[in-house]
Amino acid sequence: MAEKHSPSSLGIICRKSMLCFFLFASSLFMLSWYFVLHSTSSSGFIDLSLLPRPKFTSVIGNGNSSSWNRKDVEPSIGNRAILVDNEEQEENPQKKDDLGGVKCSSFDNNSRQLLKIFMYDLPSEFHFGLLEWKPQGDSVWPDLRTKVPEYPGGLNLQHSIEYWLTLDLLASEVPGIPRAGSAVRVRNSSEADVIFVPFFSSLSYNRYSKVNPQQNKSKDKLLQEKLLKFLTSQKEWKRYGGRDHVILAHHPNSMLDSRVKLWPAIFILADFGRYPPNIANVGKDVIAPYKHVIRSYVNDSSDFDSRPTLLYFQGAIYRKDGGFARQELFYLLKDEKDVHFQFGSVQKDGVGKASRGMHSSKFCLNIAGDTPSSNRLFDAIASHCVPVIISDDIELPYEDVLDYSQFCIFVRTSDAVREKFLLNLIRSIKKDEWTRMWQRLKEVENLFEFQYPSREGDAVQMIWQAVARKVPAIRLKLNKFRRFSRFGTQKDGELRKIPSPGNFW
């Protein structure tokens, strides 16, 4: 005969059953969080402070019952082989460099993985032909052993990264050129990490974006159309839909007519000011520095007391879009005795005047203009003049491995335009703190220097390393797209064409 239970005993059994079920469900919940955390490469993807922290989760994570904290999650630093010395370093406290951030590969030659790049042999009209260089024989490239074509000076220089990167790849094939080695050109595209498109798009825009009376289209627009037709017909583009291609568009108006159709590629840009986020974003693309225009401050022996100007700005004051702050700050600061805030241009020795002014100033303003970024930040770095950045939407080069707060002052626009706020803030920074930041500027300035041949830790090498840190994410996306290719859902193993950008990342 079945045993009978009193109502009170039945209630106890029910409560025990519910408790067991609750514990089981909680365990499943925590396990699901555990696997989510271990499947993402971004330490900031989930706020660990919001999660319950029972002991069993930390036992699963590291084999002991210590509490779980953010340090237990591997930081998201892209291709970790590029950024750390060796496997032993991962078990020790994270090594710091003099910049106060994760050890950067520009200071570490031993562990760096070489970025393998396939570069299209585009006709010279897309690159050095824009510099009025004429090809000799069958080669579309200049012979670097005889003469290197010169890039035009003036403001053209600030967006010249296409020139320096292309030269560096060409030099990787020439024995005897003493260059640094973050990247190397390979001839077989199947061996490459990325595909490089050597179109000097910024130079094309600066020189050939205007329509002549005899033309229906500008030369710049015609080149973009030819490039688009060429790329989309190549097997390298078709293979992955262009997702492993690197395209240079540093001038904010370059590639204006083709960027929407080439959006799957990695863009190398100055900022995202004129790009919708589904075309370009910090997850997919690379931000590169401008080439500074003013003279570098060589053998800088200045100090806090020998720089008489407290705050310096010289440039265009009346700007559209996000540049309203320049006008507001002009009226707030123009009469301050130790502040230089004036209109300026490259004409009438403007570059020389700016060089002398920045070299004799403690702080240099970098205010958003038509776009979030400007060359003024990199002029300030080259002058060892502590940058004061007033640009809420700015993105900075290599910020995943470089802590700008150690040598820059960041001020929200809404605060900067408040009366006396900016001056009070700057005056509160005393000699010792300024000297520390000034010293940091001298330590990091080479990271923003473009030169040929490229040298270890300069801007060219830092950009290649930034591209290399994108490679794991590219491979993850491509491998996911290939999951069902063997079942014939994609033609010849190629990625399906996507008619509009959506949100790739």
Side-chain angles (χ1 to χ4, degrees), residues 188-201:
N188 188 341
S189 62
S190 63
E191 298 175 356
D193 296 309
V194 293
I195 312 296
F196 184 77
V197 181
F199 175 38
F200 291 5
S201 60

Side-chain angles (χ1 to χ4, degrees), residues 167-284:
L167 278 180
D168 189 60
L169 281 184
L170 293 174
S172 72
E173 296 186 298
V174 181
I177 295 181
R179 59 178 287 275
S182 292
V184 63
R185 186 184 185 188
V186 296
R187 292 290 182 162
N188 188 341
S189 62
S190 63
E191 298 175 356
D193 296 309
V194 293
I195 312 296
F196 184 77
V197 181
F199 175 38
F200 291 5
S201 60
S202 296
L203 183 62
S204 177
Y205 174 79
N206 279 330
R207 284 193 161 185
Y208 302 110
S209 59
K210 293 182 179 180
V211 180
N212 293 328
Q214 299 84 10
Q215 296 176 317
N216 294 323
K217 295 179 181 179
S218 68
K219 181 177 178 179
D220 176 54
K221 189 167 185 176
L222 290 171
L223 285 174
Q224 290 183 59
E225 291 177 355
K226 292 173 70 173
L227 180 68
L228 181 63
K229 184 177 180 180
F230 169 83
L231 286 178
T232 55
S233 67
Q234 299 304 301
K235 68 180 191 309
E236 288 83 7
W237 182 274
K238 293 178 179 179
R239 184 168 57 202
Y240 300 136
R243 289 166 177 81
D244 58 350
H245 281 53
V246 176
I247 294 176
L248 301 150
H250 199 259
H251 191 290
N253 290 332
S254 60
M255 302 296 289
L256 195 60
D257 298 295
S258 58
R259 60 178 63 166
V260 174
K261 296 179 181 179
L262 297 174
W263 69 268
I266 301 171
F267 290 130
I268 299 184
L269 308 171
D271 58 47
F272 301 119
R274 294 180 182 171
Y275 287 79
N278 56 355
I279 300 298
N281 56 73
V282 72
K284 178 176 76 73

Side-chain angles (χ1 to χ4, degrees), residues 36-50:
V36 168
L37 286 171
H38 279 256
S39 65
T40 179
S41 62
S42 175
S43 60
F45 181 72
I46 297 173
D47 188 349
L48 300 181
S49 64
L50 300 177

Side-chain angles (χ1 to χ4, degrees), residues 52-104:
R53 294 186 293 179
K55 291 183 178 180
F56 92 92
T57 54
S58 48
V59 172
I60 292 174
N62 53 35
N64 58 53
S65 59
S66 61
S67 61
W68 192 7
N69 57 57
R70 191 176 296 273
K71 293 180 181 179
D72 293 330
V73 181
E74 183 177 288
S76 175
I77 53 175
N79 188 348
R80 302 184 72 249
I82 296 176
L83 299 176
V84 297
D85 283 333
N86 50 47
E87 292 298 327
E88 294 179 0
Q89 184 172 329
E90 298 178 20
E91 300 174 2
N92 299 324
Q94 196 170 52
K95 189 172 183 179
K96 301 288 182 179
D97 61 24
D98 289 338
L99 308 181
V102 178
K103 185 173 179 63
C104 179

